[in-house]
Amino acid sequence: MGIALAGDDVAARGPARRALDLLYLGAGYAAGVFLVAIFAIMMAMSVGRQFAINIPAGDDFASWCMAAMAFLGLAHTFKRGEMIRVGLLLERLHGRTKQIAEITALGIATAFILYFTRYAVQMTYDSWRFNDVAQGVVALPLWIPQLGFAGGLAILSIALIDEMVNVVGGGRPSYEKGSPDETPDEFIERISQGGGG
């Protein structure tokens, strides 16, 4: 049920691998729950207008849910290979050269995401420490909606480090779809069947 990594035998996976896969999958499900919450809030607001029923801070809650959905879904999307990546250069490389290029790309991505994660966690902690509240109708403590933002970035950081360890160890990136020897016709066929790029 978890995210399968290329070359992994499910029975041979250790508890750390299973825990990480569950973390990514759980974050993906949480993103889905927030997506459903956005739909429910927007429908309630639309129907409420017809009956002159106002939902206090409905727009605020929808935007907080949207931020949580977007950031919590990042790690799962990345590990499944569904995140948009510009691989024009990497797709042309093979062997050790490709591995070094993948490690370099993952290193740069990890550095950026760790930088953003540090400040997102600091912002959330400061909101909690200073008792910041939303300025809208509902005075919700701001650290609560900020948890989705900071948590999503933290989980993405873990996913990038996990992927870096995998690639440095000689493994094939889990986000890479298709076989390395895939022909252009096979690629087009896989894409047309919804297999992602």
Side-chain angles (χ1 to χ4, degrees):
M1 197 78 197
I3 301 167
L5 294 178
D8 274 1
D9 180 17
V10 176
R13 297 161 100 188
R17 173 80 272 139
R18 286 193 299 272
L20 286 171
D21 288 347
L22 277 174
L23 175 66
Y24 310 140
L25 187 63
Y29 278 126
V33 168
F34 281 108
L35 180 63
V36 172
I38 293 166
F39 171 75
I41 291 167
M42 298 309 290
M43 289 305 294
M45 289 173 64
S46 296
V47 172
R49 281 190 199 104
Q50 304 303 315
F51 299 100
I53 298 170
N54 183 31
I55 298 176
D59 291 335
D60 291 340
F61 282 104
S63 63
W64 293 330
C65 287
M66 187 169 297
M69 177 206 65
F71 284 94
L72 286 170
L74 288 174
H76 180 68
T77 305
F78 170 71
K79 292 296 278 185
R80 292 290 303 252
E82 302 296 335
M83 190 174 282
I84 295 172
R85 294 172 46 244
V86 180
L88 294 174
L89 174 63
L90 292 176
E91 289 170 1
R92 299 190 192 301
L93 301 175
H94 300 285
R96 181 76 177 144
T97 308
K98 182 172 184 174
Q99 183 188 22
I100 291 169
E102 287 280 3
I103 292 168
T104 303
L106 284 167
I108 293 168
T110 302
F112 274 109
I113 295 302
L114 284 171
Y115 176 81
F116 291 128
T117 301
R118 184 231 184 269
Y119 285 100
V121 170
Q122 184 66 51
M123 180 185 68
T124 304
Y125 174 69
D126 287 343
S127 293
W128 173 78
R129 189 167 50 125
F130 297 124
N131 296 316
D132 286 343
V133 294
Q135 299 299 311
V137 177
V138 178
L140 183 75
L142 276 179
W143 65 269
I144 296 173
Q146 289 171 351
L147 280 175
F149 166 58
L153 283 172
I155 296 169
L156 180 60
S157 297
I158 293 167
L160 283 161
I161 293 167
D162 176 22
E163 201 58 53
M164 175 85 81
V165 169
N166 175 43
V167 175
V168 167
R172 184 168 167 238
S174 62
Y175 52 76
E176 200 173 77
K177 294 196 169 193
S179 70
D181 302 324
E182 185 176 51
T183 66
D185 290 336
E186 291 169 335
F187 174 78
I188 291 169
E189 179 65 26
R190 181 168 50 81
I191 294 297
S192 68
Q193 295 175 0

